Amino acid sequence: MVITQYKSNGFTLIEIMITVAILGILLSIAIPSYQEYSRKGKRTEAKTVITETAHRLERCMTQFGGYDTASGCSVSASFNSSPNGFYAVSVTRTATTYSITTTAQDAQAQDEKCKTFTLTDVGKKTA
């Protein structure tokens, strides 16, 4: 009598199902974390646009004595969007005050924590 042993070459169905389940659990944790990390990184664009606009307005105050166009300041009152399009930018200004606001748009609008950023002439920041 000859006894033959068969060697298994491959994976069983249960092993594959366990692997798929583990991958599903890992992805359900990793994808939302990555999306939040990505949104947080894009907030830098809003802060950069606000800061650059505030610097230009402060230069207007130094050169022309006011923030508004009547004083000679040519800083745009609103932008369609920030450089990469994640935020819409608007500037409200008078001769002596200004307020710069960025509002999240498109995919960045899903950022519930920081949809808008605001900076005023006295340095008040809100998010």
Side-chain angles (χ1 to χ4, degrees):
M1 175 188 270
V2 177
I3 299 176
T4 54
Q5 292 182 329
Y6 293 101
K7 185 173 180 182
S8 174
N9 294 330
F11 300 104
T12 64
L13 181 59
I14 192 74
E15 290 171 332
I16 292 172
M17 289 176 63
I18 290 171
T19 303
V20 168
I22 291 171
L23 284 174
I25 292 168
L26 290 175
L27 287 175
S28 70
I29 295 168
I31 289 175
S33 296
Y34 173 75
Q35 289 172 336
E36 180 60 29
Y37 177 78
S38 178
R39 285 186 198 110
K40 188 176 178 181
K42 292 174 184 173
R43 291 177 197 157
T44 305
E45 181 171 316
K47 295 174 188 177
T48 301
V49 168
I50 283 180
T51 304
E52 288 175 354
T53 306
H55 285 265
R56 292 196 324 251
L57 286 168
E58 291 300 335
R59 265 186 261 136
C60 283
M61 178 55 95
T62 303
Q63 287 179 330
F64 307 113
Y67 298 116
D68 60 350
T69 53
S71 302
C73 184
S74 62
V75 175
S76 178
S78 65
F79 307 90
N80 288 335
S81 64
S82 56
N84 292 318
F86 301 128
Y87 290 89
V89 183
S90 64
V91 180
T92 305
R93 59 191 172 155
T94 65
T96 58
T97 64
Y98 68 81
S99 176
I100 308 164
T101 303
T102 59
T103 306
Q105 61 184 11
D106 298 332
Q108 191 66 15
Q110 296 174 0
D111 185 3
E112 295 298 325
K113 293 181 181 176
C114 296
K115 283 194 177 206
T116 61
F117 291 91
T118 304
L119 176 65
T120 66
D121 58 295
V122 292
K124 182 180 177 186
K125 300 175 186 177
T126 58

